[in-house]
Amino acid sequence: MTIGPDDVRHVAALARLAVPESRIPELVSQLNDILSHMGVLGRVDTSSVTAVAGAGDANMPLRADLGPPIALVHPIASFAPQLRDGFFLVPRLATHEDSGDDELSE
Amino acid sequence: MSANAVGAVLDAYRRMADVDAGPNGLNCVLWTDEARALADAAAVDALPQAGALAGVPFLAKDNIATTHLQTTCGSRILEGYVSPYEATVITRLCDAGAVLVGKTNCDEFAMGSSNENSAYGPVLNPIDRTRVPGGSSGGSAASVAAGIVRIALGSETGGSVRQPASYCGIVGVKPTYGRVSRFGLVAFASSLDQVGVFGTTVDDAALALEVIAGRDPRDATSADCPVGSYRKARTNDLAGVVIGRPREYFPSSLDSRILHLCDEALDGLRARGATVRDVSLPHTDLAIPVYYIIAPAEASSNLARFDGVRYGLRIEAKGLREMYDSTRTRGFGPEVTRRILLGTYVLSAGYYDAYYRKAQQVRTLIAKDFCDVFDSGVHLLFTPTTPSTAFEFGAKSDPYEMYLNDIFTATANLAGVPAISVPIGDVDGLPAGGQLIARHFDEQTMFRGAYALETARKAPA
């Protein structure tokens, strides 16, 4: 399997990265080189092997879904880019961008 | 009796000023608050009873959350970010009387083997400033090697403590996965990440690990497993200990000078009563392909949170999608971008089974190799930590060639077993490390071997 420029553009879009066109050829080359070394895995018989998600015998344990939340030393407003009434503010979704309203969304 | 924490902290800052600051400095330390550290030290001195680390200054890698110093992970995307909570490892060290004197430079989001990927410039190797200190915890390793502190925290995902420890001529420990809380460690690859410890000696590392180890209710992956007294493992007697020499870690291409140092180290362990046996870990050569699928896959998911919404950098834009794209593109450096793309690719529809699922299955085989060897009566494995000594800046421009630096270390992360790097000698004036690997949660035996290895070098039998 080899990666082409459209694959890089597609993956970049999935990852929310605006990769400049000028960097695409280099990334295509580097990612193909890296992936060429992964081909060796295809030759390993894993038909009877369980896939593990963690390092131990068991898969990732989950903590109990219980509170209270962790006490914060600093208020959220000290690190949030924009906050109002306890809500993070973000620009409007693209579908609302043409409304002429520059208000931020919560 | 006073711990003289204030004096020790002042010494650390003096040393920092001498070797780290300025255009010709090592660039180990990114963020400090001397007034706060001195106040903390004075509070330690005033305590009626000294903790296990009373008055010991320490540094922490900049991907470990602290509430009064920035936590940037060596990235522009978190520049200026101060965490609203503190990592458990920081709390435990401070509760034992240690004093945090700063945060150390590292490869961005712990992705790198040379510390050339930091947004805040590279760290220089104190042994030879034309060479890298290793990575990703290069700032922590270099600060210990340069004598700024005796103890520093790093983090391990594929060798990011052991490899720089080897390059800088100090001791570096990766504990068993689950031995140390990851609460407050900024996630890179959650199934591999562990906080690790650097020390000038095995004893320093043992003491620090003893303090930070143990169950933490805030990290579900931290194990409820008793923590022994690692310092009690200090011994010069390895009678009854069987050490495996895995042939896959001694390929014919291995630098003959490193091979010679390893042979000398094994002779020293034999002289202290250990039995050395050739063993095999047959899936070792698959570790790098497996690691560089699983780690970027997990990273692509973990780093999705850096989008300009809740904290860190935000590049203003009219639309939400454009803000995400601009923030992440501007905030992440080239290596992080490359790994996010790689991770997103191997998780994407049509490629998941061929890459990610396959890698998880082969990871099972790699872990089974270790279990099989330990079940056969071997207590420890001995290997070189790295295939070479520290290389010059810019020497490895090809990403995969850089990834191969982790060839002897990534296996322990994939299997979750504990491992330690101990200096075993020099090659042309550059330090080399020997690695001891133990069974899950058997840090006690790992330290027993490490103490003996350290002693063997200093006082050959």
Side-chain angles (χ1 to χ4, degrees), chain A residues 1-3 7-8 10-20 23 26-27 30-31 33-35 37-47 49-57 60-63 70-76 78-82 88-94 97-98 100-102 104, chain B residues 67-68 81-85 177 182-183 190-191 218 220-221 283 286 288-290 292-293 298 308-312 314 316-321 323-325 328-329 332 334 337-338 340-342 344-346 348 350-351 354-355 357-365 398-400 403 413-416 440:
Chain A
M1 283 178 275
T2 55
I3 289 185
D7 296 312
V8 172
H10 174 63
V11 171
L14 289 173
R16 302 287 185 260
L17 289 165
V19 177
R23 279 203 65 202
E26 181 195 22
L27 282 165
Q30 289 176 340
L31 292 175
D33 181 54
I34 294 166
L35 288 169
H37 294 279
M38 312 303 181
V40 65
L41 300 181
R43 297 197 284 275
V44 183
D45 179 9
T46 53
S47 54
V49 179
T50 309
V52 292
D57 292 337
M60 279 285 182
L62 300 176
R63 69 170 172 81
I70 298 153
L72 302 184
V73 173
H74 311 297
I76 294 172
S78 71
F79 53 83
Q82 282 190 282
F88 296 101
L89 297 188
V90 295
R92 285 183 178 277
L93 291 168
E97 281 175 4
D98 296 331
D101 182 357
D102 283 343
L104 296 171
Chain B
T67 51
H68 68 284
Y81 171 71
V82 179
S83 170
Y85 58 86
Y177 185 86
R182 291 184 300 117
F183 179 78
S190 307
S191 78
R218 288 178 166 168
T221 63
H283 297 95
L286 303 174
I288 294 300
V290 168
Y292 280 96
I293 290 172
E298 294 186 20
V309 174
R310 286 155 298 175
Y311 42 74
R314 173 188 284 195
E316 296 297 345
K318 190 174 180 188
L320 180 63
R321 171 66 190 266
M323 185 202 77
Y324 288 154
D325 291 0
R328 289 167 60 77
T329 304
F332 292 136
T337 298
R338 189 161 39 239
I340 290 174
L341 291 174
L342 180 61
T344 306
Y345 179 77
V346 299
S348 62
Y351 304 105
Y355 289 111
R357 185 175 163 73
K358 187 76 177 182
Q360 284 186 310
Q361 289 173 313
V362 178
R363 180 179 184 177
T364 304
L365 297 175
D398 173 59
Y400 199 81
Y403 298 168
N413 301 79
L414 291 166
H440 290 105

Side-chain angles (χ1 to χ4, degrees), chain B residues 254-269:
Chain B
L254 182 66
D255 185 320
S256 60
R257 298 163 300 178
I258 288 181
L259 175 63
H260 176 69
L261 291 175
C262 287
D263 287 342
E264 282 185 342
L266 284 166
D267 286 343
L269 296 172

Side-chain angles (χ1 to χ4, degrees), chain B residues 345-424:
Chain B
Y345 179 77
V346 299
L347 289 176
S348 62
Y351 304 105
Y352 178 93
D353 282 340
Y355 289 111
Y356 186 64
R357 185 175 163 73
K358 187 76 177 182
Q360 284 186 310
Q361 289 173 313
V362 178
R363 180 179 184 177
T364 304
L365 297 175
I366 290 169
K368 186 173 178 301
D369 283 351
F370 282 96
C371 291
D372 289 347
V373 165
F374 290 128
D375 286 347
S376 74
V378 169
H379 302 103
L380 291 169
L381 296 166
F382 177 84
T383 79
T385 307
T386 54
S388 70
T389 52
F391 50 89
E392 292 179 338
F393 286 98
K396 295 183 191 290
S397 56
D398 173 59
Y400 199 81
E401 190 188 355
M402 184 70 85
Y403 298 168
L404 288 173
N405 267 290
D406 302 336
I407 196 162
F408 297 151
T409 51
T411 46
N413 301 79
L414 291 166
V417 292
I420 187 169
S421 179
V422 178
I424 55 170

